[in-house]
């Protein structure tokens, strides 16, 4: 996944305003944390806000991560490194989702976070939503 992730993160960096909210979804907290540690500094260097959210975080930390994702500087590009913690019960919308291979039910939940608000968000976009 690393080679593909490198390529897709370069696409995000070069996208300008097209990809404002991106989720990178992992099947384990360990891989999520490792990827966050590997890529966050590089993304932040390119003025892309990075956020991590997973099930081992305290409820306060999860709440703060979602607050940053949903409210802090909405014009900024944000990349969320996450696990299944965001699959259900969290009202978030993404322009691009990058997912590890997962069971069909998990992929359906993850895809449900893409273009969540439908056509009204698509009107401002020049490119289609993406699921990788």
């Amino acid at each position: 996944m690393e080679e593909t992730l490198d390529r897709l993160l370069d696409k995000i960096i070069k996208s300008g305003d097209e990809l404002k909210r991106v989720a990178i979804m992992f099947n384990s907290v360990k891989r999520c944390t490792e990827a966050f540690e590997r890529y966050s500094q590089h993304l932040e260097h390119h003025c892309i806000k990075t956020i991590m959210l997973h099930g081992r975080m305290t409820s306060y930390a999860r709440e703060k991560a979602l607050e940053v994702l949903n409210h802090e500087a909405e014009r900024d590009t944000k990349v969320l490194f996450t696990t299944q913690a965001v699959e259900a019960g969290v009202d978030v919308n993404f322009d691009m989702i990058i997912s590890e291979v997962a069971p069909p039910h998990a992929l359906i939940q993850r895809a449900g976070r893409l273009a969540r608000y439908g056509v009204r968000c698509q009107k401002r976009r020049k490119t289609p939503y993406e699921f990788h």
Side-chain angles (χ1 to χ4, degrees):
M1 180 173 172
E2 286 182 15
E3 183 179 314
T4 301
L5 191 52
D6 288 339
R7 182 177 49 78
L8 290 169
L9 289 176
D10 282 341
K11 180 178 181 172
I12 295 163
I13 290 167
K14 294 173 184 173
S15 74
D17 286 340
E18 279 300 301
L19 298 170
K20 293 305 246 175
R21 293 165 56 102
V22 177
I24 306 173
M25 298 185 170
F26 298 89
N27 299 326
S28 77
V29 172
K30 180 182 178 195
R31 285 195 301 278
C32 178
T33 303
E34 288 171 351
F36 181 81
E37 290 170 356
R38 178 176 178 186
Y39 294 107
S40 63
Q41 198 171 39
H42 178 65
L43 291 168
E44 296 272 349
H45 176 74
H46 289 280
C47 299
I48 296 172
K49 181 75 178 165
T50 57
I51 307 151
M52 184 167 52
L53 177 68
H54 57 72
R56 291 189 192 157
M57 296 171 77
T58 64
S59 59
Y60 177 78
R62 283 193 302 269
E63 185 179 305
K64 285 297 183 188
L66 288 170
E67 188 176 301
V68 169
L69 180 67
N70 290 324
H71 302 293
E72 188 179 289
E74 294 201 10
R75 70 187 175 283
D76 295 341
T77 299
K78 298 173 188 167
V79 175
L80 177 67
F81 291 77
T82 188
T83 61
Q84 67 273 13
V86 78
E87 285 178 9
V90 178
D91 187 23
V92 291
N93 182 57
F94 296 101
D95 299 316
M96 175 192 274
I97 292 177
I98 303 166
S99 175
E100 287 187 320
V101 173
H105 68 277
L107 291 175
I108 291 167
Q109 287 291 332
R110 292 173 185 192
R113 305 291 161 244
L114 191 65
R116 190 171 180 87
Y117 304 121
V119 177
R120 68 186 166 132
C121 291
Q122 182 67 28
K123 289 179 184 175
R124 67 177 170 82
R125 296 179 48 81
K126 296 176 187 157
T127 59
Y129 293 99
E130 299 182 39
F131 191 96
H132 298 273

